[in-house]
Structure formats: structure tokens, C-alpha cells
Amino acid sequence: KGWYYDSAYNSKVSFPLSVTRAMTLYAKWEEQITEITYTVSDGEITGIASAPEGELELVIPSEINGETITGLAFGAFANNKNIVKVTLPYTIKTIAGQSFRYCTALAEVNLPDTVVDIRPGAFEKCYALTSIDLPESLDNIAQNAFMESGLKSIKFPDTLKSVGEYAFGDCTSLA
């Protein structure tokens, strides 16, 4: 991005510029991304296609380009250090394995009352996640689901049928 002497944007202009004759300069600017777009495959969000810089608050839509969003792919948002908040749509029933693993800034997660399954490592190492409201629809929390997260307390719904090994392993702040 910036000002160039040629239309192919190869020769960049340095400022201050001394103008001694008529000249043409070419401007090249990057489009600023203002909204989050997602990559989707077979109704599952596989990741973020584009997003503005800085902290991200994801509000996952229930439909993208006419396709109903039914889930998150394995590792869909893993290792994203910019995500601070996530709100999932009512169309999602399962949080896939490692969906938010190592999202170290993730502090707030809003799960719909349709989620029945949180798969292995879904929120593993989400250090900023200190609390989460688990929906009454939840049947299963798989192994390592919240391992090494920042959870301080948790209330299990009456519908919960199974909790996997180390689901809350090394949650040192958990009371």
C-alpha cells in the first residue's frame, strides 16, 4: 500500500518528495476489512475467511449463503488469539473437537439450548474463559473439553449423562 511511480506498483515513492517536473503517481491501498466472514463446508464452519484486526466477537449466523449452519468443523477456530467472545446459533448441536483450542483470549461463550455434545478439547487451554453457562440440553462433555481452561466454577445441567476423562483436568482455578 502507498504511492508508486508506476502502475505495476513496483517503484515506491519516498516522502518527502521533491517535485521538479510534472509526474503521475499511482496509489495502492488495501481494503479495510470491517466484518467477519466464515468458510463453510457441508453446513459446518471450517474457519474465518476474513476479519478485522484486533479483538473479535463472533456471532455465528444460523445460515450463510442459504446454507444452514449445523456445526463447527474440528479445530475451526483453534489457535486464534483474537477471539474474545463467541455466540453460537440455535442450529448447532455439537461443539466439535478442538473448535476453540488455544483461543487464549476467549472470555465469553454463549451456547444455545440446542447443544447436546461438547467434543474432545473443544475449549482446551482457553485461559481467559473463567465461566460458562452450560445449556440444559447438554448430554455429554468429552475428555479434555475444558482442560487447562481458566474456569473458576461450573454448574452442570440435570440432563448431563457423561463427563469424559480430564474434561476439567488442570483447571487450577476451579473451586
Side-chain angles (χ1 to χ4, degrees), residues 12-161:
K12 193 164 185 163
V13 175
S14 297
F15 291 97
L17 174 65
S18 178
V19 179
T20 58
R21 61 181 166 71
M23 67 174 62
T24 302
L25 297 178
Y26 300 87
K28 180 179 181 182
W29 305 110
E30 292 179 5
E31 183 179 338
Q32 186 174 8
I33 298 170
T34 58
E35 64 180 42
I36 301 168
T37 58
Y38 303 95
T39 53
V40 179
S41 178
D42 296 324
E44 288 188 334
I45 291 186
T46 58
I48 296 175
S50 64
E53 292 183 23
E55 291 184 348
L56 299 175
E57 293 188 7
L58 306 183
V59 178
I60 310 288
S62 59
E63 188 177 285
I64 296 177
N65 296 329
E67 191 170 358
T68 300
I69 302 305
T70 57
L72 305 175
F74 181 88
F77 302 106
N79 301 305
N80 189 314
K81 310 290 190 246
N82 295 327
I83 299 172
V84 296
K85 180 180 178 182
V86 174
T87 301
L88 298 174
Y90 68 93
T91 52
I92 290 183
K93 293 179 178 32
T94 299
I95 310 300
Q98 300 185 18
S99 291
F100 298 98
R101 185 174 190 254
Y102 269 112
C103 289
T104 55
L106 181 60
E108 184 178 341
V109 176
N110 297 304
L111 300 176
D113 286 333
T114 54
V115 171
V116 294
D117 193 17
I118 298 176
R119 302 304 302 145
F123 297 99
E124 184 177 351
K125 300 184 189 222
C126 291
Y127 305 125
L129 186 63
T130 58
S131 68
I132 189 168
D133 289 332
L134 298 175
E136 285 299 320
S137 56
L138 190 63
D139 287 336
N140 177 60
I141 299 174
Q143 69 270 16
N144 306 340
F146 292 93
M147 188 173 178
E148 293 185 51
S149 69
L151 289 177
K152 293 182 179 180
S153 66
I154 192 158
K155 180 183 176 288
F156 297 107
D158 293 337
T159 56
L160 191 62
K161 294 176 184 162

